[in-house]
Amino acid sequence: PLPMVFAETQPTGLLRTWTPTPILAYLAPLGWFQFERFCSALLRTDGYEVVRKGGALPDGGVDLIAEKGDERMLVQCKHWRTRSVKGNVISRMLERMAYFQATRGTLFTLKGWTKPAAGFAALHGITMVDGAELGRRGTARLSGRHLSEILSAEVHHCPKCEAPLVWREGSFRSFWGCSTFPR
């Protein structure tokens, strides 16, 4: 079967078509926080309530907690474009699943994983999703408008409060800062 295609008219009048390949191409240059937002959006389409952990702080091996009914799933989002997930990431997830009393674990990554990591994850019922599958899921589950919002490289969000970030000129260097600073 052919992949589903979503199209939407852009402000420039051009038509943007979302298929799995462009979604993956747009995910790669985004920051880790927008990658987590994309993964959260996918989980919400499956009926999960999603809570972010960590934010701008170290997350301790858990980026998202997704709950639906009695099910609690821990999610790790690895926005790795060049590194494959190894077994130590799966080990850490197992530890965190026990700590948070999670019934499932899922790992989202752009690059993929090693064979030992895949075997270890399968042995413990941890679902692993690579970039190609993320693209397919995004096309099938998210509207063109939602994809355009999440995958926009021009709009950045604060990892603490999700407010838009603004480009600031500092004394030593320029940087992205929260639009609600100092609040």
Side-chain angles (χ1 to χ4, degrees):
L2 295 173
M4 294 178 66
V5 176
F6 287 101
E8 114 177 54
T9 304
Q10 298 300 299
T12 59
L14 299 174
L15 196 64
R16 173 177 287 160
T17 303
W18 289 112
T19 62
T21 302
I23 289 173
L24 185 55
Y26 272 77
L27 281 172
L30 293 179
W32 61 269
F33 179 65
Q34 283 179 275
F35 183 64
E36 286 181 10
R37 288 183 70 221
F38 176 82
C39 296
S40 294
L42 288 179
L43 291 166
R44 286 186 179 102
T45 65
D46 285 335
Y48 288 97
E49 288 188 37
V50 181
V51 175
R52 282 188 317 111
K53 299 296 289 177
L57 305 172
D59 59 33
V62 179
D63 292 318
L64 309 170
I65 297 179
E67 295 181 316
K68 179 169 51 173
D70 292 337
E71 179 185 6
R72 174 178 283 167
M73 177 172 47
L74 295 190
V75 181
Q76 183 69 352
C77 303
K78 293 295 185 191
H79 186 249
W80 295 348
R81 297 175 294 268
T82 58
R83 293 186 337 194
S84 296
V85 172
K86 295 184 180 176
N88 63 330
V89 173
I90 306 303
S91 294
R92 181 72 172 147
M93 178 169 263
L94 284 171
E95 291 171 8
R96 305 316 292 165
M97 285 172 62
Y99 178 80
F100 284 97
Q101 300 175 344
T103 54
R104 292 183 53 203
T106 297
L107 189 132
F108 293 119
T109 182
L110 292 178
K111 172 74 172 151
W113 44 82
T114 63
K115 277 188 173 185
F120 193 36
L123 183 65
H124 295 284
I126 294 174
T127 304
M128 298 177 75
V129 181
D130 66 6
E133 179 61 20
L134 285 170
R136 284 190 288 278
R137 289 182 185 189
T139 301
R141 299 178 185 176
L142 300 172
S143 71
R145 183 172 309 278
H146 199 178
L147 285 166
S148 294
E149 176 202 327
I150 294 172
L151 300 176
S152 172
E154 292 84 38
V155 180
H156 300 273
H157 296 273
C158 175
K160 288 187 177 182
C161 70
E162 298 196 30
L165 293 179
V166 294
W167 189 249
R168 298 190 187 273
E169 300 293 329
S171 300
F172 299 101
R173 64 183 177 100
S174 301
F175 60 96
W176 287 102
C178 184
S179 60
T180 65
F181 179 81
R183 185 177 55 94

